[in-house]
């Protein structure tokens, strides 16, 4: 197995002071590291009937798309507010100051579709919890959520009670 952590860089004080940004671009640029990342993220969900992999803008797209291909599923983008061209459903989540929202096309998948949620980092869990709400609002059935990185000290899992959460590396 490849040491994934050795290819993830810590960038202190980005995008603002006090945040240690996890830069996954060296891992994605490494052919073997990228392949292993996708295989290992997909593995727990092989044979579980996943029909749609929903990725959160924007680094989530880089992971969700090859995972969907690997699982023989379709891929759906969950985007920041105002980016999708047709009728949307939205879900809000708290930021340090105020709120933001994410959106999916209201007809992004059929009722009862089995959906896997994918993002690069599970931090406080606010974004993922909003994404789960959105997926269910559109009519999907959440099979689970897969993250490359989990910042365990922020307890993001607590915002996703009863959900199947998989992550490859924890800090
Ligand atoms: P949260 O809603 O707090 O769980 O934050 C998750 C979202 O913010 C994900 O879409 C991540 O891409 C991004 N994010 C949060 N913390 C970090 C971090 N330390 N490094 C890189 N991305 C992060």
């Amino acid at each position: 197995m490849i040491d994934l952590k050795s290819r993830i860089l810590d960038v202190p004080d980005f995008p603002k002071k006090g945040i240690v940004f996890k830069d996954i671009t060296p891992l994605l640029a490494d052919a073997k590291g990228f392949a292993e990342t996708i295989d290992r993220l997909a593995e727990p969900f092989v044979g579980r009937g996943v029909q749609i992999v929903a990725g959160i803008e924007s680094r989530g797209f880089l992971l969700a798309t090859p995972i969907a291909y690997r699982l023989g599923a379709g891929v759906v983008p969950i985007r920041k507010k105002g980016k999708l061209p047709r009728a949307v459903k939205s879900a809000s989540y708290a930021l340090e100051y105020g709120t933001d929202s994410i959106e999916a096309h209201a007809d992004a998948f059929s009722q009862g579709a089995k959906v896997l949620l994918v993002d690069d980092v599970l931090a406080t869990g606010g974004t993922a919890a909003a994404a789960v709400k959105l997926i269910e609002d559109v009519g999907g059935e959440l099979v689970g959520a897969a993250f490359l990185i989990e910042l365990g000290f922020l307890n993001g899992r607590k915002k996703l009670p009863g959900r199947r959460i998989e992550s490859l590396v924890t800090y």
Side-chain angles (χ1 to χ4, degrees), residues 1-7 27 30-37 40 168-169:
M1 281 212 305
I2 290 172
D3 178 9
L4 303 181
K5 266 191 180 174
S6 70
R7 292 161 173 80
L27 175 63
D30 178 288
K32 288 203 172 85
F34 174 57
E36 185 169 315
T37 297
R40 284 174 54 189
L168 298 189
V169 297

Side-chain angles (χ1 to χ4, degrees), residues 5 15-16 24 30 40 43 54 75 82 87 93 99 104 106-107 118 120 123 128 155 164 170:
K5 266 191 180 174
K16 56 184 181 181
I24 63 169
D30 178 288
R40 284 174 54 189
E43 199 277 328
V75 64
Y93 56 98
T99 62
D107 62 355
V118 170
D120 63 334
N155 293 315
R164 178 166 187 186
T170 303

Side-chain angles (χ1 to χ4, degrees), residues 9 11 14-15 19-24 56-60 80 93-95 118-129 147 149 151 153-154 156 159:
L9 300 182
V11 185
F14 184 89
I19 305 283
V20 180
F21 188 86
K22 298 292 181 191
D23 178 17
I24 63 169
I56 301 177
E57 185 170 0
S58 57
R59 290 180 299 278
K80 307 266 165 68
Y93 56 98
L95 298 174
V118 170
D119 202 2
D120 63 334
V121 176
L122 177 65
T124 66
T127 311
F147 302 90
I149 295 168
L151 303 181
F153 55 91
L154 292 175
K159 291 220 177 75

Side-chain angles (χ1 to χ4, degrees), residues 102-170:
I102 48 177
E103 298 180 337
H105 276 139
D107 62 355
F109 33 79
S110 51
Q111 297 299 300
K114 292 188 167 216
V115 181
L116 170 64
L117 175 66
V118 170
D119 202 2
D120 63 334
V121 176
L122 177 65
T124 66
T127 311
V132 168
K133 189 172 167 294
L134 187 55
I135 287 165
E136 293 181 338
D137 215 18
V138 173
E141 185 192 310
L142 191 82
V143 177
F147 302 90
L148 170 50
I149 295 168
E150 179 171 357
L151 303 181
F153 55 91
L154 292 175
N155 293 315
R157 274 178 191 256
K158 288 212 174 125
K159 291 220 177 75
L160 302 162
R163 310 296 186 168
R164 178 166 187 186
I165 314 291
E166 301 282 347
S167 60
L168 298 189
V169 297
T170 303

Side-chain angles (χ1 to χ4, degrees), residues 43-91:
E43 199 277 328
F45 301 99
V46 170
R48 298 185 55 91
V50 173
Q51 294 165 299
I52 295 288
V53 179
I56 301 177
E57 185 170 0
S58 57
R59 290 180 299 278
F61 297 168
L62 295 168
L63 301 170
T65 304
I67 291 168
Y69 187 78
R70 175 81 181 73
L71 293 176
V75 64
V76 162
I78 294 181
R79 300 213 61 183
K80 307 266 165 68
K81 193 172 39 190
K83 302 278 190 180
L84 288 167
R86 295 185 297 104
V88 295
K89 298 243 185 203
S90 328

